[in-house]
Amino acid sequence: MSCDITKVFTSIVRALTATETSLSRKTSTASSLDTRPGVADVFSDRAISLRGELTTVRKHIANAGELSLALATNDAARQRMYHELAKQINQALDQCSILLAQLKCLVVPLTSGTAEAGDEASSKTQLQLHREAVCRSLEDFLKVLERARDEQVTTYCRRLELTSRLSGSVSTDSYSYESSSSPTSTVRNRRDRGNAWLFGGSKADAEALPTSSLPVEELKQLEMENAEVYLRFLSEKNEIQQLGNQIAEIGRLQAMVTESLIEQAEMAQHIGEKVVGSTELVREANEHVRQSMDRTRGILGRRNFGLLQKPILSASKTDHVSGQNSLTVVTGIQPTGYPHLGNYYGMIKPCVRLQYDSDVSRLFLLLADLHALTKGSADNSLSTSTLQLASALIACGINPVLSSDVLSSKGKSIIFPQSSVIGHCELTWILSSKCSVNRLSHLPQWREKSEALGTTGSSVGLFTYPLLQAADILLYSADVVPVGLDQVTHLELTRDLARILLTQSPSLCDYLKVPDVRVTELPKVHNLRLPTKKMSKSFGPEAGTVWLTDPPDVIKTKVERAQTDSIRELTYDPEYRPGVANLIHIFAAAKDLPVEVAVDKLTKLTKVDLKAAVIDALVEELVPIQSRLRQLEISGSVEEALRAGSRAANQVASQNLRKIMEAFGFPSYYN
């Protein structure tokens, strides 16, 4: 509000100053004007100019009236602004009075001794009357402005007096202004002493104005304005008090934060000292661990790789009838076509050794085509994949039984398709009634695959997969099951189900056994182009997978493009140099060497020589297998081996399944 009032005040005073300057200039030059009646344009110009000045002063008085409504408060600075404005208006009116007096002097009265002609005298009389009328009109205009000025000042003084009385603090300040020296100033001659102090007198000389002299509406408006001012003052006072309280609270919180920061800084310094002290200990411990790992890495590799070179059991079980060692081993592989190096070194080659183990009397090698259905294998390709896998197994050294006489299977493997023995599905149904859904749902492989496939992609067959696997093992009274680490939880489920059945029917102890688990910890063969992932048919780039059927030139290309690293020297570090370690594992597996021996032999070579050595070892081992595979496909003897294995497997499975069903109360109508 103060900013707006200041702008109004500045603009009005500037305009009044310009008006006063022009009026003074006109007053000073008026005496030099020719007052002869013949100079009509001088009077007209003066009259028009005076009327324009009066019109301008009228506008300033109106603006001052609007300004006075906003200044009727106890604000001394604003009151002084209005006083200065009123003083300027008063001086402008005095100047206009002087100009009007000078303009009247231009009206020359006719003398009685004038001897002019009648027409000329009549013309001069009309001109004089016209000038007199103009002067009267301008004088009336000036009086109207003076009355408006006086009424405005009177109203302002009354409002100011009433405001002072209502607020209870009548100001005793006096303002002294230079009064106008004009003898025609109406303000200076006002009878109302209450207004005299505004233009040069003292406020103490003003009479007390009764509030009854104000209109009722104006009095109510003043009361409302003062009430609003009072309420605003109270609100501002409360806000100031609240602000003070908030500032005090902020100061208190700031002191608390500062104290907390100091404590944290001291704690951080203390912790830093401890960290510095323990860093040396950690560094020394890491150095000892690194040295220990270097010493034991070769020993661990040799132990893992040579695990299956030893007999499968250190303490053999003895057959109560014949007195000879008789262990039944069951293992299986899903038929997905020709195998790759990972299948060969991880499962096929160890099985070839198992069939010649002196502790093993029977080795059941089933082709898990029922399990393959959970992967969505097509019907027209499943039989082909099964035949290709069986051919590869026989070409790799698996010696299949060619008769249904199980007793003559020593040193041989009973290889057969899983679907050819119906007892697998029958025993699975019995086991499903002994296993809870909660137990199956907590198996880690089910959780991983179901999350990957989603609710719509997960089948019931995938959920009951471990039950079918348990039936594969229990149906043949297996003593030992060689598996990888990822299948240990499924074998534990198989052992629990066997205990449940034996607890309910102890008579099954001759036909149902709790199998032992033997974990094969051979180093896994990884993808040549992605050495952090194992070699697989469904994962990893195809260029990094070496198939048993790959010709030598393809093997050479894949090994030469195997990913290694940029380090020049060869070192064995499976964690930080997986590409080099993978090539060393493949060479050791192909040459039947412990990893430690292979490391000592290969680390003296360059990476180019290492790849060349791996290529030679693979070609040397796989070319004979490929030759036997071609002969088997031509002879057609693989189908006969599968039929013989199916007859032998059914002979054992039907006998054990009949005893299990009889133990659970199923009537026996077998021939």
Side-chain angles (χ1 to χ4, degrees), residues 436-458:
S436 65
V437 175
N438 187 49
R439 177 66 186 278
L440 291 178
S441 62
H442 281 79
L443 294 175
Q445 285 197 346
W446 160 251
R447 292 201 303 269
E448 294 174 1
K449 293 183 179 180
S450 61
E451 290 176 359
L453 297 175
T455 305
T456 58
S458 302

Side-chain angles (χ1 to χ4, degrees), residues 459-623:
S459 63
V460 177
L462 182 63
F463 183 68
T464 58
Y465 179 99
L467 296 178
L468 180 58
Q469 190 176 29
D472 298 338
I473 298 169
L474 299 180
L475 191 60
Y476 301 99
S477 299
D479 296 300
V480 177
V481 181
V483 294
L485 286 174
D486 56 343
Q487 296 293 326
V488 171
T489 55
H490 290 180
L491 265 295
E492 289 298 328
L493 174 65
T494 302
R495 290 166 57 85
D496 292 342
L497 292 174
R499 294 189 187 99
I500 292 173
L501 296 180
L502 290 174
T503 301
Q504 294 181 358
S505 301
S507 60
L508 293 176
C509 60
D510 293 333
Y511 305 96
L512 192 65
K513 301 177 182 178
V514 179
D516 290 333
V517 180
R518 289 294 179 265
V519 179
T520 58
E521 297 182 355
L522 291 173
K524 292 183 179 180
V525 177
H526 292 78
N527 192 287
L528 296 179
R529 302 299 296 275
L530 191 62
T532 57
K533 301 294 182 181
K534 69 177 183 178
M535 190 174 292
S536 173
K537 297 178 181 179
S538 55
F539 299 100
E542 175 68 20
T545 302
V546 179
W547 304 95
L548 295 187
T549 56
D550 285 343
D553 56 339
V554 176
I555 295 174
K556 179 181 179 181
T557 301
K558 291 182 177 180
V559 175
E560 287 178 346
R561 295 179 180 178
Q563 178 182 346
T564 53
D565 49 46
S566 59
I567 302 176
R568 186 174 182 179
E569 295 79 8
L570 286 181
T571 57
Y572 179 72
D573 193 343
E575 182 178 0
Y576 296 102
R577 305 190 68 183
V580 175
N582 188 37
L583 293 176
I584 295 176
H585 291 163
I586 295 174
F587 180 84
K591 292 295 185 179
D592 292 330
L593 296 175
V595 175
E596 184 181 24
V597 176
V599 169
D600 294 338
K601 185 176 181 179
L602 297 176
T603 51
K604 300 177 182 179
L605 306 176
T606 63
K607 283 186 283 189
V608 176
D609 295 335
L610 171 62
K611 292 181 178 180
V614 173
I615 293 171
D616 294 339
L618 290 179
V619 171
E620 181 182 355
E621 183 165 19
L622 297 184
V623 167

Side-chain angles (χ1 to χ4, degrees), residues 305-453:
F305 184 78
L307 181 64
L308 289 183
Q309 294 180 347
K310 300 178 181 179
I312 195 166
L313 289 178
S314 58
S316 61
K317 296 184 178 181
T318 304
D319 190 282
H320 297 287
V321 178
S322 61
Q324 299 177 352
N325 295 335
S326 58
L327 291 178
T328 299
V329 179
V330 177
T331 187
I333 182 173
Q334 289 193 23
T336 55
Y338 294 114
H340 51 69
L341 283 185
N343 302 132
Y344 177 67
Y345 291 125
M347 185 268 178
I348 299 175
K349 198 170 183 178
C351 286
V352 174
R353 296 194 186 99
L354 276 177
Q355 67 183 356
Y356 299 111
D357 194 296
S358 59
D359 293 330
V360 177
S361 62
R362 290 183 295 186
L363 174 61
F364 289 90
L365 182 56
L366 60 92
L367 308 180
D369 50 359
L370 294 178
H371 287 290
L373 293 177
T374 60
K375 293 185 176 181
S377 300
D379 296 338
N380 56 356
S381 63
L382 187 57
S383 59
T384 303
S385 299
T386 303
L387 187 60
Q388 290 176 350
L389 178 59
S391 301
L393 291 174
I394 297 173
C396 290
I398 295 295
N399 187 15
V401 295
L402 299 177
S403 65
S404 59
D405 187 6
V406 181
L407 297 178
S408 62
S409 62
K410 180 67 176 178
K412 296 183 179 181
S413 299
I414 302 174
I415 178 173
F416 64 98
Q418 182 187 23
S419 58
S420 64
V421 180
I422 195 63
H424 290 271
C425 298
E426 295 177 353
L427 183 56
T428 300
W429 181 256
I430 295 175
L431 296 178
S432 65
S433 64
K434 303 299 179 182
C435 182
S436 65
V437 175
N438 187 49
R439 177 66 186 278
L440 291 178
S441 62
H442 281 79
L443 294 175
Q445 285 197 346
W446 160 251
R447 292 201 303 269
E448 294 174 1
K449 293 183 179 180
S450 61
E451 290 176 359
L453 297 175

Side-chain angles (χ1 to χ4, degrees), residues 52-117:
E53 299 298 340
L54 291 174
T55 303
T56 302
V57 173
R58 181 178 61 183
K59 294 180 181 179
H60 294 330
I61 292 175
N63 293 333
E66 295 178 359
L67 183 62
S68 66
L69 296 177
L71 295 175
T73 62
N74 286 333
D75 191 341
R78 296 184 180 183
Q79 291 176 5
R80 284 194 295 270
M81 292 168 59
Y82 180 75
H83 297 163
E84 181 66 24
L85 182 59
K87 180 179 178 181
Q88 295 291 338
I89 293 174
N90 185 48
Q91 292 177 358
L93 290 175
D94 290 344
Q95 294 294 334
C96 289
S97 299
I98 295 173
L99 288 177
L100 180 60
Q102 293 176 356
L103 187 63
K104 288 181 179 180
C105 294
L106 296 178
V107 181
V108 181
L110 294 175
T111 59
S112 59
T114 304
E116 296 179 353

Side-chain angles (χ1 to χ4, degrees), residues 156-335:
Y156 172 75
C157 292
R158 290 179 179 178
R159 291 169 63 89
L160 187 62
E161 182 71 19
L162 181 59
T163 302
S164 300
R165 288 187 177 184
L166 291 176
S167 62
S169 58
V170 179
S171 176
T172 59
D173 296 338
S174 61
Y175 308 97
S176 177
Y177 302 100
E178 295 181 358
S179 61
S180 175
S181 59
S182 173
T184 59
S185 175
T186 57
V187 177
R188 189 172 52 198
N189 298 326
R190 286 185 56 84
R191 297 178 181 178
D192 189 356
R193 295 175 57 195
N195 300 338
W197 66 273
L198 185 60
F199 302 103
S202 174
K203 185 177 178 181
D205 298 334
E207 295 180 355
L209 298 178
T211 57
S212 59
S213 61
L214 291 177
V216 177
E217 295 180 357
E218 189 173 355
L219 183 60
K220 290 182 179 180
Q221 184 177 359
L222 285 174
E223 292 176 352
M224 292 177 62
E225 291 178 356
N226 281 277
E228 291 177 358
V229 171
Y230 179 72
L231 293 176
R232 186 171 67 251
F233 287 162
L234 289 179
S235 177
E236 292 177 354
K237 179 181 178 181
N238 295 333
E239 291 179 358
I240 292 173
Q241 291 178 352
Q242 294 178 1
L243 183 60
N245 295 334
Q246 292 177 359
I247 292 175
E249 182 67 17
I250 291 173
R252 187 181 66 83
L253 294 176
Q254 186 175 5
M256 294 176 59
V257 171
T258 303
E259 184 178 356
S260 177
L261 290 176
I262 294 174
E263 293 179 357
Q264 292 180 5
E266 294 177 353
M267 293 177 60
Q269 184 178 1
H270 184 63
I271 293 173
E273 293 175 355
K274 289 185 176 180
V275 170
V276 171
S278 61
T279 300
E280 293 298 329
L281 297 177
V282 173
R283 186 179 294 109
E284 293 177 0
N286 289 336
E287 185 64 26
H288 288 303
V289 171
R290 188 178 296 107
Q291 293 176 1
S292 300
M293 291 176 63
D294 293 338
R295 288 194 301 267
T296 58
R297 185 179 290 117
I299 299 174
L300 289 174
R302 183 172 65 253
R303 186 198 67 181
N304 293 337
F305 184 78
L307 181 64
L308 289 183
Q309 294 180 347
K310 300 178 181 179
I312 195 166
L313 289 178
S314 58
S316 61
K317 296 184 178 181
T318 304
D319 190 282
H320 297 287
V321 178
S322 61
Q324 299 177 352
N325 295 335
S326 58
L327 291 178
T328 299
V329 179
V330 177
T331 187
I333 182 173
Q334 289 193 23

